[in-house]
Amino acid sequence: VHSKVPAIINGETAGPNEAKFQVLVQFLGHKFCCGILIAGDKVLTTAHCLELYEKVPFFLWGVQVGLKNISDPIRQASLVASVSIHPEYDPKTSSNNIAVITLEEYMETDSHIAYAELQTEELPIGSNVTEYGWSLIELNRTDIIDTELLQKTRLTVKKSGNPNFIAASYENTNICLGDDGGALVSSDGK
């Protein structure tokens, strides 16, 4: 997902049973971007979130899963063991902007954590999707308000002009920087 504004804007707080697959990707212990737990030791995210990974020591990267509030006690966490960026990723066009993180620790499912069921078909233009993230909740000329609560916003799939790229937006809401790598969840939950 690509936008010209930083992060979830004018979204709402996610419910306690939503986005159990959501992963907080951290660099130096701070929120950096999002990901999707797709298996016990695998996280799907965007390649551009991890371009720095090859330039800094791997032990500076980690993930947390099962969070709705960043201030809550950690449910499960792991350091990053390795990163696989799509071999045809092009940072100039965002084509193939996808990566898989392999974790050092296995993440167990429980009442707060689940593996994502991935969409296997292309979403048609006009489909409604929901995006989740912990980044900004409001942006205006004088204030940038950060949040520790998992936020969500509803978006509509738009034509992007790039077959390897999904664009989505909705009037007065959007996502981007700190929420990159999170899932676009369709109405069927995939």
Side-chain angles (χ1 to χ4, degrees), residues 116-134:
E117 185 176 352
L118 299 178
Q119 183 70 256
T120 57
E121 297 179 17
E122 186 174 328
L123 291 172
I125 303 299
S127 297
N128 293 319
V129 294
T130 303
E131 169 78 14
Y132 295 90
W134 285 278

Side-chain angles (χ1 to χ4, degrees), residues 139-173:
L139 177 72
N140 60 43
R141 294 184 191 277
T142 58
D143 296 316
I144 297 176
I145 302 170
D146 201 3
T147 183
E148 294 187 347
L149 299 174
L150 183 63
Q151 299 291 298
K152 68 180 180 180
T153 190
R154 287 171 181 75
L155 304 169
T156 303
V157 174
K158 308 284 186 191
K159 184 174 177 163
S160 72
N162 181 336
N164 298 316
F165 187 78
I166 297 173
S169 65
Y170 188 75
E171 186 177 323
N172 297 322
T173 68

Side-chain angles (χ1 to χ4, degrees), residues 52-169:
L52 188 61
Y53 180 81
E54 296 174 352
K55 298 174 183 152
V56 297
F58 66 91
F59 61 84
L60 299 176
W61 293 87
V63 303
Q64 289 190 42
V65 298
L67 295 175
K68 295 296 186 260
N69 184 333
I70 293 175
S71 296
D72 286 346
I74 296 172
R75 299 214 185 270
Q76 292 184 51
S78 176
L79 291 175
V80 172
S82 65
V83 168
S84 297
I85 293 176
H86 192 290
E88 295 179 23
Y89 165 58
D90 183 346
K92 293 178 184 166
T93 65
S94 292
S95 288
N96 303 302
N97 189 2
I98 193 165
V100 175
I101 297 170
T102 299
L103 305 175
E104 286 188 2
E105 304 292 328
Y106 191 86
M107 302 293 109
E108 300 287 341
T109 59
D110 61 23
S111 62
H112 302 282
I113 299 168
Y115 306 137
E117 185 176 352
L118 299 178
Q119 183 70 256
T120 57
E121 297 179 17
E122 186 174 328
L123 291 172
I125 303 299
S127 297
N128 293 319
V129 294
T130 303
E131 169 78 14
Y132 295 90
W134 285 278
S135 209
L136 306 177
I137 57 174
E138 186 177 337
L139 177 72
N140 60 43
R141 294 184 191 277
T142 58
D143 296 316
I144 297 176
I145 302 170
D146 201 3
T147 183
E148 294 187 347
L149 299 174
L150 183 63
Q151 299 291 298
K152 68 180 180 180
T153 190
R154 287 171 181 75
L155 304 169
T156 303
V157 174
K158 308 284 186 191
K159 184 174 177 163
S160 72
N162 181 336
N164 298 316
F165 187 78
I166 297 173
S169 65

Side-chain angles (χ1 to χ4, degrees), residues 5-28:
V5 296
I8 288 181
I9 307 297
N10 298 325
E12 59 188 74
T13 301
N17 293 315
E18 292 184 79
K20 293 180 181 184
F21 48 76
Q22 187 78 7
V23 174
L24 177 64
V25 178
Q26 296 179 299
F27 178 68
L28 294 171

